[in-house]
Amino acid sequence: MLVCRSIAEIRSAVRDFRAAGQTVGLVPTMGALHDGHLSLVAAAKAAKDAVVATIFVNPTQFGNPDDLLKYPRTEQEDLAKLEAAGVAAVFMPPVHEMYPEGAETIVETTQLANMLHGLVRPGHYRGVCTIVTKLFNIVMADNAYFGEKDYQQLQVIRRMALDLNVPTAVHGVPTVREADGLAMSSRNVRLSPEDRAASIVLNASLTRAEEVAAGGGTIEQIDAAIRDTINAEPRARLTGVDIVQAFTLQPVTGRPSGTIGIMISAEFGPEDNTVLLIDQREITL
Ligand code: PAF
């Protein structure tokens, strides 16, 4: 597995994969890899792509400098996992390679980035779109793979790629869960054992929501099922429930039909060391 730290090196590696007749699959990550990330690599391998994974903790998508500092960095373990998963090349640039002195251009989806989760994290999806556009332009992959867990991020990236005529095909990959149902996330390691046990309430609330929806429930009833389940767990502080149309993220009212997305978020832990977890489920009725 090649480890490239400069744009020139990764471009040269991609040229070699193409010269050997391979398609290229991009798996962008911020490191601290878990099985969720490895499922993106597996999807790329299943498509027979030469897999280019990127590890870059992107400063422009963090509103809070403390969050950026606390973001787990596990470079050696990450490289070992990617190599074992059959990745062909890893691009892990330093910050100045991605944002050289004087960089001022941003990429933003004007609506999808500034609603729902984007309202609590202003600028977050602008940072994501900017870095993902740069990675698309650097790697020029045939395919790129993103987790469905950050449901809004996936829709933002799909929209951006469509609007900017990005030739790379964007693929969503289903959320990978721990045995007890907690969605895998790099943040899970920051949970105390008690909060880790309590965090299964997120997935439990989505299962409850799905039951209510399948039983013909209204949006109000689905919303109440989620809130009641999470509020019954004293260690969880519910911060968001959004029930939206798939792809457009527009609100849904009444008795839903077609495909809806449910996005939830909750905080765990003390005020000075809060861990924000998100989860999501897409339901077709
Ligand atoms: O989902 C992530 O890990 C990041 O937002 C991404 C897509 C790698 C951009 O930094």
Side-chain angles (χ1 to χ4, degrees):
M1 183 178 77
L2 293 165
V3 177
C4 307
R5 300 203 184 250
S6 72
I7 294 170
E9 281 174 287
I10 191 67
R11 281 198 166 137
S12 150
V14 169
R15 266 196 302 275
D16 291 348
F17 300 146
R18 291 209 178 283
Q22 289 184 282
T23 55
V24 175
L26 172 67
V27 176
T29 83
M30 298 205 299
L33 302 181
H34 49 67
D35 286 353
H37 298 106
L38 298 180
S39 75
L40 305 181
V41 173
K45 297 231 15 127
K48 307 238 182 312
D49 291 336
V51 186
V52 173
T54 69
I55 299 177
F56 181 66
V57 183
N58 174 34
T60 65
Q61 69 188 75
F62 287 83
N64 176 352
D66 217 39
D67 258 9
L68 174 60
L69 277 177
K70 282 190 190 142
Y71 202 84
R73 285 163 171 85
T74 53
E75 192 175 308
Q76 289 318 310
E77 291 93 321
D78 290 348
L79 288 175
K81 286 178 187 171
L82 293 174
E83 180 143 39
V87 165
V90 181
F91 178 46
M92 41 193 323
V95 173
H96 62 81
E97 184 77 358
M98 297 307 284
Y99 295 106
E101 187 72 28
E104 60 167 293
T105 305
I106 54 172
V107 181
E108 183 169 30
T109 54
T110 53
Q111 291 188 46
L112 285 177
N114 295 310
M115 61 201 291
L116 307 172
H117 199 54
L119 294 176
V120 245
R121 301 181 72 189
H124 170 70
Y125 290 115
R126 182 197 307 140
V128 170
C129 264
T130 304
I131 195 67
V132 169
T133 301
K134 288 161 80 67
L135 293 173
F136 280 171
N137 286 337
I138 291 166
V139 177
M140 294 195 289
D142 299 274
N143 299 299
Y145 301 86
F146 296 88
E148 284 177 357
K149 189 176 72 120
D150 190 334
Y151 192 70
Q152 186 168 358
Q153 168 172 284
L154 178 61
Q155 312 317 323
V156 164
I157 292 170
R158 281 192 203 283
R159 185 78 244 175
M160 178 274 286
L162 188 68
D163 290 349
L164 297 183
N165 308 99
V166 171
T168 303
V170 175
H171 303 275
V173 179
T175 302
V176 179
R177 298 180 180 279
E178 303 286 356
D180 62 6
L182 175 65
M184 289 194 183
S185 162
S186 312
R187 292 168 189 231
N188 293 353
V189 293
R190 290 180 49 212
L191 293 166
S192 68
E194 297 76 16
D195 289 329
R196 169 66 187 81
S199 64
I200 58 169
V201 74
L202 293 182
N203 185 47
S205 77
L206 291 170
T207 301
R208 185 74 202 105
E210 192 164 359
E211 286 164 2
V212 174
T218 61
I219 292 299
E220 290 71 24
Q221 288 166 329
I222 299 169
D223 184 89
I226 295 170
R227 287 179 194 277
D228 292 349
T229 310
I230 297 183
N231 290 336
E233 170 49 68
R235 303 191 79 90
R237 295 184 296 281
L238 181 64
T239 52
V241 180
D242 294 293
I243 305 173
V244 295
Q245 280 168 13
F247 311 117
T248 64
L249 305 183
Q250 290 303 308
V252 190
T253 51
R255 231 170 272 282
S257 60
T259 304
I260 58 170
I262 304 180
M263 297 183 279
I264 57 174
S265 58
E267 289 178 346
F268 294 83
E271 296 290 332
D272 59 346
N273 196 18
T274 290
V275 183
L276 177 73
L277 298 184
I278 61 171
D279 205 347
Q280 139 286 330
R281 194 164 301 184
E282 201 171 69
I283 304 173
T284 300
L285 296 159

